[in-house]
């Protein structure tokens, strides 16, 4: 039997601290996975469900976008994947009685962890204007209400349509089609806040805003550099790929401000060495870099390659690249002193990495939000591309760029057109297929959407999944902006913070999850997703839905579109909702690489999307070549008495979903309000280990942003930096502090000072 949902909110201000661990997974991960799964699902449901995760005839994990291997294991999931599945396949339910017993004002005082633990949503709920409680509403009435608010707008741009990366390809395509038929490109998504910097840099330099490597490339690489990423918590199945790469002879280098257990040693639960032995040492060289120092590191490596006899792949550069002369002239001006100041690394360690680079023919660089959420994030990633181009490491087996995406279909959603700045080619294809002229003006991304709600320009906010309020920066500003809306709508499987920070009216529309059976009048349906390496495959749930009458995301979009656009709209929304094959046939005629979609997605393992730089060393850039770029060195300035804070996840967390109050690998249990500080920095600042402080953000606007009551933990963080969990510290990230070009919040570079504990929590 599953355990009932907690009725009281556990205290989160008394975490217990022990020594951090130096290995990930193993038997503790297996035990933790099974315990949390059985608490939510019960033993029988746990076994039936977990054996279908990431299997060709099963469903795609609702967690991360790490690809499946060609031959899957019986247990093809990680610890955090099991937690994600358990949260969705839980036997706990939220019914109308729950909302009747809990006014919204009371729910707003609960933690995100408590809200998420209450179970699956089961029926549409309305918070009417002036009401204190959500009450049930029929589906047709909910769609009519949304349509009424949309028709009342002065312009279609008064609505914003947000998308979480959990949304399937089919739902995402229908969703963007609806928004554009309505007349707006306001399609913000979670990628705006995470990997937008990667897409911006890669599109400019290589012509494709995605990674260029496959799992097979990882297994063939000579050198793998993992920068600004913690796969042990955020993409745990990547550890088995790194283990296999190590067995094949690869060298692994980790570049990160914190040591992370998963990159130190991996105890693979799939083999005896991992369960009973010492596991596999993954990292051969660890560079503990200062926050924001990655651009300087890769610039230094590029200088070393340029200066080495035979370091540059001159044939590749001459045939396939543009801008080398300008780049090389700038790189050769790099001074050792500025590199050391920005990185905090000893020069001998940089030289050691340089020797590894020069002795390796096939190099892959992997990164995540540790690189993307800085003001100079786009130049940093452009410098990574420079580094790979110098030695011909794009379009070569075992080499390339590997931005590791987070949510399970965030990359697929963008492929399907979820983008506020769509290309003319995509709009031409969409308009040609459906016989209309799509809007051409750029829409709002996530940050601009908050600004537009704050300023009264967006009055209807519609979210397809996710937890926008908790995921976005400057929490107080975001919440105030959301409350200015006329209507807020959230399509969700579980309760979260965004449901209790509402517009004048609010709707919660429950939906089927990845684990649920999706059956329409025409029969059983499946959806598809695109993983972090451009592989598209099917996903089909097998569990009975948590309540009768629940609609899929596809059905919700299509029924809303018909209600809002009226019977005169000639898109066959009803056909799309009834038979997803009809929708995939239209996708095949609009989106490049999806020809024969219905046939190819039914093959075991799906199909790989084309990628010019990888497949044929063709680069669809403005120059027709791979572009070297000039990226002036910058480093964050940290005044005396301050530290630079990075927000991060705990191990019992995926994005804004909190599975528990522990961070096992970092030695934190029973709470989340902790700030990790280097002991030397702590001594200089007078921060006593175990003491409590307020974190106060500083930015040029002079606004005080405060996160109260954080326990100081002495931790081996790189000097000058600190770390704390989000969403608790999102309040410190200024809305207007964003990366140049990509407009991504600078959540890895928040200047803070420490003040005495105010006692609040």
């Amino acid at each position: 039997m599953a355990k009932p949902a907690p009725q009281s909110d556990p205290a989160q201000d008394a975490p217990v601290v022990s020594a951090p661990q130096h290995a990930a997974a193993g038997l503790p991960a297996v035990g933790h996975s099974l315990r949390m799964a059985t608490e939510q699902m019960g033993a029988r449901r746990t076994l039936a469900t977990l054996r279908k995760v990431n299997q060709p005839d099963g469903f795609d994990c609702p967690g991360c976008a790490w690809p499946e291997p060609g031959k899957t294991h019986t247990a093809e999931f990680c610890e955090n994947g099991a937690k994600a599945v358990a949260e969705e396949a839980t036997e706990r339910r939220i019914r109308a009685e729950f909302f009747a017993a809990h006014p919204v004002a009371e729910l707003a005082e609960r933690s995100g962890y408590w809200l998420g633990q209450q179970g699956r949503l089961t029926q549409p709920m309305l918070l009417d204007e002036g009401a204190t409680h959500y009450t049930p509403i029929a589906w047709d009435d909910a769609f009519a209400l949304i349509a009424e608010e949309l028709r009342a707008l002065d312009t279609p741009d008064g609505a914003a349509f947000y998308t979480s990366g959990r949304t399937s390809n089919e739902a995402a395509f229908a969703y963007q089609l609806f928004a554009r038929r309505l007349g707006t490109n306001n399609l913000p998504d979670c990628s705006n806040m995470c990997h937008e910097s990667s897409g911006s840099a890669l599109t400019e330099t290589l012509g494709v805003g995605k990674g260029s490597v496959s799992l097979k490339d990882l297994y063939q690489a000579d050198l793998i550099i993992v920068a600004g990423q913690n796969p042990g918590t955020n993409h745990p199945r990547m550890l088995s790929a790194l283990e296999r790469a190590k067995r094949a002879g690869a060298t692994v280098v980790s570049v990160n401000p914190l040591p992370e257990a998963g990159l130190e040693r991996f105890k693979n639960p799939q083999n005896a060495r991992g369960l009973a032995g010492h596991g596999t040492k993954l990292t051969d060289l660890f560079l503990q870099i200062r926050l924001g120092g990655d651009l300087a590191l890769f610039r230094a490596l590029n200088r070393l390659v340029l200066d080495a006899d035979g370091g540059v792949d001159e044939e590749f550069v001459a045939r396939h690249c543009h801008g080398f002369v300008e780049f090389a002239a700038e790189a050769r001006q790099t001074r050792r002193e500025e590199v050391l100041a920005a990185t905090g690394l000893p020069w001998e360690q940089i030289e050691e990495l340089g020797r590894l680079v020069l002795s390796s023919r096939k190099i892959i660089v992997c990164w995540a939000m540790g690189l993307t959420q800085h003001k100079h994030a786009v130049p940093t990633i452009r410098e990574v591309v420079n580094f790979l181009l110098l030695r011909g490491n794009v379009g070569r087996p075992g080499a390339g760029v590997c931005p590791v995406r987070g949510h399970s279909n965030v990359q697929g959603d963008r492929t399907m057109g979820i983008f506020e700045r769509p290309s003319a080619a995509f709009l031409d294809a969409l308009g040609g297929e459906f016989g209309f002229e799509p809007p051409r003006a750029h829409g709002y991304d996530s940050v601009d959407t908050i600004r537009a709600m704050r300023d009264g320009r967006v009055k209807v906010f519609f979210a397809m999944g996710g937890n926008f309020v908790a995921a976005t920066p400057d929490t107080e500003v975001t919440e105030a902006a959301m409350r200015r809306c006329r209507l807020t709508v959230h399509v969700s499987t579980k309760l979260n913070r965004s449901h209790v920070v509402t517009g004048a009216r609010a709707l919660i529309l429950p939906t089927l999850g990845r684990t649920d059976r999706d059956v329409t009048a025409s029969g059983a349906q499946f959806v598809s997703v695109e993983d972090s390496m451009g592989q598209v495959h099917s996903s089909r749930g097998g569990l009975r839905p948590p309540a009768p009458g629940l609609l899929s995301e596809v059905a919700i979009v299509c029924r809303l579109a018909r209600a809002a656009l009226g019977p005169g709209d000639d898109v066959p929304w009803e056909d799309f909702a009834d038979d997803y094959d009809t929708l995939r046939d239209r996708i095949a005629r609009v989106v490049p690489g999806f020809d024969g979609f219905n046939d190819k997605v039914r093959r075991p393992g799906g199909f790989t999307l084309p990628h010019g730089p990888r497949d044929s060393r063709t680069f669809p850039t403005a120059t027709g070549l791979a572009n070297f770029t000039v990226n002036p060195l910058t480093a964050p300035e940290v005044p005396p008495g301050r530290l630079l804070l990075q927000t991060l996840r705990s191990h019992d967390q995926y994005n804004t979903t909190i599975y528990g109050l522990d961070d096992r690998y970092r030695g934190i249990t029973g709470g989340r309000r902790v700030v990790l500080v280097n002991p030397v920095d702590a001594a200089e600042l007078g921060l006593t280990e175990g003491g409590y402080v307020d974190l106060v953000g500083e930015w040029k606007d002079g606004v005080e942003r405060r996160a109260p009551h954080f326990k100081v933990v002495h931790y081996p963080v790189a000097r000058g930096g600190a770390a704390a969990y989000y969403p608790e510290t999102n309040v410190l990230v200024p809305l207007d502090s964003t990366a140049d070009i990509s407009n991504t919040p600078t959540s890895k570079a928040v200047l803070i000072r420490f003040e005495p504990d105010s006692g609040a929590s």
Side-chain angles (χ1 to χ4, degrees):
M1 292 289 292
K3 288 180 64 175
Q7 298 305 301
S8 59
D9 216 346
Q12 296 188 51
D13 61 349
V16 176
V17 180
S18 59
Q21 297 183 15
H22 298 283
L27 278 173
V30 175
H32 200 58
S33 301
L34 293 177
R35 179 178 65 79
M36 296 191 79
T38 53
E39 284 181 359
Q40 293 273 1
M41 298 187 288
R44 180 178 297 178
R45 191 177 176 92
T46 292
L47 293 175
T49 305
L50 291 183
R51 68 183 181 86
K52 288 291 187 180
V53 185
N54 295 324
Q55 299 297 331
D57 62 342
F59 62 91
D60 195 70
C61 177
C64 81
W66 190 253
E68 277 70 73
K71 182 179 180 181
T72 57
H73 292 97
T74 302
E76 190 57 61
F77 56 87
C78 65
E79 177 185 350
N80 276 357
K83 296 173 191 174
V85 170
E87 285 267 318
E88 181 179 290
T90 181
E91 292 188 324
R92 300 170 183 172
R93 302 288 182 263
I94 296 178
R95 299 184 173 88
E97 295 79 12
F98 173 89
F99 290 105
H102 298 286
V104 174
E106 176 199 318
L107 293 175
E109 297 299 316
R110 300 285 193 169
S111 69
Y113 168 68
W114 186 89
L115 293 173
Q117 289 294 304
Q118 300 311 301
R120 287 287 298 272
L121 296 159
T122 56
Q123 60 193 113
M125 303 298 296
L126 166 67
L127 180 68
D128 215 343
E129 190 164 6
T132 59
H133 292 68
Y134 276 101
T135 56
I137 184 173
W139 281 107
D140 286 343
D141 293 338
F143 295 135
L145 188 157
I146 301 168
E148 169 197 335
E149 290 284 0
L150 291 174
R151 285 193 289 267
L153 295 171
D154 296 332
T155 167
D157 290 327
F161 297 92
Y162 175 76
T163 314
S164 157
R166 191 188 71 87
T167 305
S168 69
N169 288 328
E170 291 76 10
F173 185 85
Y175 191 50
Q176 63 82 31
L177 176 61
F178 164 56
R180 293 186 168 114
R181 293 286 285 189
L182 192 69
T184 185
N185 281 316
N186 289 347
L187 286 158
D189 72 339
C190 55
S191 186
N192 296 147
M193 294 176 283
C194 301
H195 262 291
E196 199 66 59
S197 299
S198 299
S200 297
L202 294 176
T203 299
E204 177 186 355
T205 57
L206 301 180
V208 179
K210 303 179 182 183
S212 68
V213 303
S214 66
L215 281 177
K216 185 178 179 181
D217 289 313
L218 281 174
Y219 306 150
Q220 296 176 1
D222 298 322
L223 174 64
I224 301 170
I225 300 175
V226 182
Q229 185 194 359
N230 174 20
T233 286
N234 301 331
H235 316 91
R237 287 194 301 146
M238 181 179 176
L239 300 182
S240 60
L242 292 175
E243 179 185 48
R244 181 169 171 180
K246 289 281 292 186
R247 291 203 303 268
T251 298
V252 175
V253 174
S254 302
V255 182
N256 206 51
L258 284 75
E260 298 290 7
L263 281 171
E264 290 187 54
R265 186 172 293 276
F266 174 46
K267 296 184 176 182
N268 191 339
Q270 303 281 1
N271 59 51
R273 181 173 60 253
L275 286 175
H278 296 291
T280 302
K281 179 185 176 184
L282 293 183
T283 294
D284 298 287
L285 177 64
F286 173 47
L287 278 66
Q288 188 166 20
I289 198 165
R290 285 181 178 163
L291 279 167
D294 303 272
L295 172 54
L297 172 62
F298 281 97
R299 170 65 67 75
L301 293 175
N302 289 338
R303 172 68 188 271
L304 292 173
V305 171
L306 287 166
D307 290 346
D309 185 29
V312 177
D313 186 334
E314 295 180 358
E315 180 183 358
F316 174 85
V317 170
R319 178 177 296 184
H320 297 291
C321 299
H322 173 269
F324 172 77
V325 173
E326 295 83 357
F327 151 75
E330 175 76 11
R332 288 191 172 105
Q333 301 302 313
T334 306
R335 294 182 296 109
R336 181 182 301 190
E337 295 75 17
E338 60 186 344
V339 170
L340 297 180
T343 64
L345 298 169
W347 185 253
E348 294 76 18
Q349 202 173 45
I350 296 174
E351 286 186 316
E352 182 179 358
L353 177 53
R355 287 190 292 271
L356 289 173
V357 169
L358 292 168
S359 64
S360 301
R361 184 173 183 273
K362 297 173 290 185
I363 302 175
I364 291 173
V365 181
C366 305
W367 70 88
M369 290 187 289
L371 265 61
T372 65
Q373 292 183 325
H374 293 271
K375 181 173 177 55
H376 56 283
V378 174
T380 297
I381 297 164
R382 291 192 306 216
E383 198 67 27
V384 171
V385 175
N386 289 340
F387 166 74
L388 291 167
L389 293 178
L390 270 179
R391 292 180 57 76
N393 280 304
V394 175
R396 171 186 293 164
V401 294
C402 185
V404 183
R405 307 283 180 169
H407 223 313
S408 61
N409 198 42
V410 63
Q411 185 159 296
D413 289 349
R414 182 59 56 87
T415 302
M416 291 294 108
I418 300 294
F419 192 31
E420 75 282 354
R421 293 176 284 121
S423 70
F426 177 85
L427 293 178
D428 290 344
L430 186 72
E433 176 64 25
F434 290 97
F436 77 113
E437 177 54 39
R440 300 282 168 163
H442 289 175
Y444 299 135
D445 65 12
S446 292
V447 168
D448 285 336
T449 294
I450 299 169
R451 293 168 178 153
M453 291 191 294
R454 176 197 64 192
D455 299 340
R457 288 176 282 124
V458 162
K459 297 180 173 63
V460 175
F461 177 84
F462 192 105
M464 183 65 66
N467 183 1
F468 188 81
V469 164
T472 46
D474 222 338
T475 307
E476 292 181 6
V477 173
T478 296
E479 293 192 354
M482 192 70 73
R483 290 188 171 105
R484 288 206 66 191
C485 290
R486 282 287 309 147
L487 174 68
T488 51
V489 185
H490 294 273
V491 178
S492 306
T493 58
K494 305 283 296 295
L495 196 62
N496 63 50
R497 176 73 180 167
S498 294
H499 301 133
V500 297
V501 178
T502 72
R505 292 197 286 183
L507 284 166
I508 301 173
L509 304 181
T511 189
L512 298 178
R514 289 272 178 85
T515 57
D516 300 324
R517 286 196 302 269
D518 185 358
V519 181
T520 68
S522 67
Q525 304 297 316
F526 69 89
V527 294
S528 64
V529 298
E530 178 186 345
D531 66 33
S532 193
M533 293 178 175
Q535 188 81 9
V536 179
H537 56 273
S538 63
S539 175
R540 46 178 61 78
L543 297 178
R544 184 173 64 185
L550 278 192
L551 300 180
S552 69
E553 290 180 329
V554 173
I556 289 172
V557 171
C558 292
R559 288 181 61 174
L560 171 59
R562 180 57 74 205
L565 300 174
D569 186 78
D570 60 5
V571 173
W573 298 108
E574 292 80 5
D575 293 345
F576 290 169
D578 183 53
D579 184 352
Y580 301 171
D581 277 357
T582 64
L583 186 52
R584 283 187 283 268
D585 283 340
R586 308 299 284 270
I587 293 171
R589 296 199 288 266
V590 173
V591 183
F594 281 81
D595 51 293
F597 189 8
N598 268 311
D599 292 331
K600 292 191 295 188
V601 79
R602 283 174 161 83
R603 300 171 188 167
F607 62 100
T608 303
L609 291 176
H611 189 290
R614 177 197 65 211
D615 300 336
S616 58
R617 285 188 163 175
T618 56
F619 301 93
T621 64
T623 64
L625 298 167
N627 291 318
F628 280 98
T629 52
V630 174
N631 305 294
L633 284 189
T634 59
E637 294 184 8
V638 183
R642 275 66 174 165
L643 295 178
L644 207 61
L645 177 77
Q646 66 169 6
T647 69
L648 41 68
R649 299 173 184 165
S650 76
H651 190 60
D652 272 356
Q653 174 180 359
Y654 192 78
N655 293 340
T656 58
T657 302
I658 312 301
Y659 303 130
L661 301 181
D662 298 343
D663 191 349
R664 189 170 74 249
Y665 295 151
R666 296 191 182 108
I668 312 294
T669 57
R672 293 177 50 82
R673 300 187 78 86
V674 296
V675 57
L676 311 181
V677 183
N678 186 286
V680 177
D681 288 330
E684 291 179 355
L685 295 170
L687 301 176
T688 304
E689 184 164 26
Y692 281 83
V693 295
D694 286 0
L695 312 181
V696 183
E698 295 185 357
W699 201 57
K700 62 184 180 182
D701 62 3
V703 173
E704 179 182 283
R705 296 173 175 86
R706 183 178 296 267
H709 196 64
F710 276 70
K711 185 173 186 175
V712 175
V713 177
H714 290 184
Y715 200 86
V717 183
R719 290 291 311 277
Y725 304 130
Y726 71 82
E728 290 85 351
T729 49
N730 285 353
V731 66
L732 300 172
V733 184
L735 179 65
D736 295 324
S737 178
T738 60
D740 296 336
I741 303 172
S742 68
N743 207 30
T744 295
T746 58
S747 300
K748 296 294 184 287
V750 184
L751 187 66
I752 61 168
R753 68 177 186 269
F754 299 86
E755 292 190 355
D757 178 23
S758 63
S761 62

